[in-house]
Amino acid sequence: MSSNSNPIKIGIVGVGKIVRDQHLPALAKDQNYRLAAAASRHGKVDGIPNFPTIEAMLDAVPELDAVSLCMPPQFRYDAARTAIEAKKHVFLEKPPGATVSEVEDLKVLAAKNGVSLFASWHSRYAPAVEAARSFLASTRIRSAAIVWKEDVRRWHPNQDWIWSPGGFGVFDPGINALSIVTHILPAMFITSAVLDFPENRAAPVAAQVTFRTSNGLPVTMDLDWLQTGPQSWDILADTDAGKMVLSGGGSKLAIDGRVVHDEPEAEYPMLYKRFAEIVRAGASDVDLAPLQHVADAFMLGKRNVVDAFFD
């Protein structure tokens, strides 16, 4: 295992779009890490050894300290278990697993094997989220709403796994909103949901969800995966101190129309900074609240069949 003064030797598993767009640039700039290997059925990373499976990577590069798992959530449990039993720290791309019970078991396994497990809710690390949390903690909230609408064709082109059972559908982006609101609002519980399933898909393309908080406040969530034009990633709250709008997926905060916080996005560098912190500290960071809300929406939700979806 890496000491506190040496770079964490990390391997990355599942070399797809999110790895190339976010993980590789973040790792390249972080002196806490040395990217030592990659494993993927299709993609490769230049300049390091590449393997077809995580098992082959761990066999060939036993000196790895950690792995970052970026394959679809349906396949993440087995890979995480393999890594944990090999005494490797594990970074889980969001969502951390296909089910709550899988991730609960990984928490137990990580503790048993003395390694760190990290559920990396990247939107929670957006630059204005902490400012929004502080603002809401300083006032009385009357109600809140989540409006999360984007174009699946733009962000997930030809990715069939997201439409399969366990692929989350519109809750793949929607869980980003849930990762923020579970951090900035009081505890919430779903009271009703309507999920729109295309007749040719096994996951929803839109959802309307209502919550109540632990102190009885109403919260609504409107998810849509067929939004064209400008994309909407907004969390709104009506409070005694004014109307709050946290927009841009958590990057900008405005109160009564006045911008009070606006910084460039740096979510993945912050995620890897946090992962290094918990690895050095011998701790884990696994919050299951966002995933639990998705599970509850599927359990309580009314299924509404809509027209077939085609890429």
Side-chain angles (χ1 to χ4, degrees):
M1 289 290 179
S2 174
S3 72
N4 284 352
S5 59
N6 295 325
I8 297 166
K9 295 182 287 295
I10 193 167
I12 204 155
V13 185
V15 181
K17 186 176 189 297
I18 191 67
V19 166
R20 298 194 186 284
D21 289 351
Q22 298 287 358
H23 290 260
L24 295 181
L27 284 168
K29 296 176 182 178
D30 194 328
Q31 295 183 351
N32 283 300
Y33 298 94
R34 179 169 69 83
L35 182 59
S40 184
R41 289 184 299 168
H42 305 296
K44 292 185 181 298
V45 178
D46 292 340
I48 58 173
N50 288 268
F51 303 91
T53 66
I54 186 173
E55 291 84 0
M57 182 181 74
L58 294 174
D59 285 345
V61 194
E63 66 271 21
L64 287 175
D65 300 306
V67 296
S68 185
L69 302 183
C70 307
M71 71 285 282
Q74 300 100 316
F75 309 108
R76 203 166 292 148
Y77 173 81
D78 287 340
R81 185 181 183 95
T82 296
I84 289 169
E85 290 181 340
K87 310 294 186 184
K88 311 303 180 187
H89 307 291
V90 175
F91 178 117
L92 299 169
E93 174 59 82
K94 71 88 191 171
T99 68
V100 173
S101 56
E102 283 182 350
V103 189
E104 286 282 11
D105 190 54
L106 293 177
K107 287 171 61 178
V108 173
L109 284 169
K112 180 180 177 181
N113 284 274
V115 296
S116 298
L117 183 68
F118 182 39
S120 65
W121 300 114
H122 67 82
S123 290
R124 192 173 282 181
Y125 289 80
V129 168
E130 289 302 326
R133 187 185 191 197
S134 295
F135 169 76
L136 292 175
S138 71
T139 185
R140 185 175 72 90
I141 308 167
R142 299 169 183 164
S143 64
I146 303 160
V147 182
W148 221 257
K149 300 181 177 183
E150 63 179 56
D151 186 354
V152 64
R153 297 178 178 92
R154 173 178 171 186
W155 301 103
H156 296 276
N158 304 311
Q159 294 184 20
D160 289 338
W161 66 267
I162 56 177
W163 299 109
S164 302
F168 287 69
V170 73
F171 284 96
D172 180 76
I175 205 169
N176 293 332
L178 290 169
S179 74
I180 296 174
V181 296
T182 52
H183 187 60
I184 67 175
L185 291 178
M188 306 188 310
F189 314 100
I190 290 178
T191 56
S192 67
V194 177
L195 313 182
D196 292 345
F197 281 75
E199 60 185 10
N200 62 338
R201 303 292 186 185
V205 72
Q208 296 77 44
V209 184
T210 60
F211 305 80
R212 66 173 179 85
T213 67
S214 54
N215 52 355
L217 299 175
V219 181
T220 61
M221 180 166 69
D222 185 6
L223 305 179
D224 185 359
W225 228 358
L226 298 179
Q227 174 93 330
T228 58
Q231 310 287 275
S232 303
W233 299 300
D234 302 330
I235 296 167
L236 306 94
D238 184 20
T239 81
D240 284 355
K243 294 186 181 297
M244 184 202 84
V245 179
L246 181 62
S247 60
S251 64
K252 181 186 293 187
L253 178 66
I255 310 297
D256 285 337
R258 181 175 67 88
V259 174
V260 296
H261 198 101
D262 186 7
E263 293 181 18
E265 181 270 314
E267 294 171 12
Y268 278 81
M270 293 295 292
L271 286 177
Y272 277 103
K273 177 183 178 182
R274 175 61 177 158
F275 186 45
E277 288 173 353
I278 66 171
V279 167
R280 308 290 194 201
S284 287
D285 183 348
V286 186
D287 179 10
L288 287 172
L291 185 61
Q292 184 67 64
H293 282 309
V294 174
D296 289 351
F298 275 88
M299 181 169 64
L300 291 176
K302 175 184 176 182
R303 181 174 179 140
N304 184 38
V305 179
V306 297
D307 290 341
F309 172 80
F310 300 98
D311 292 334

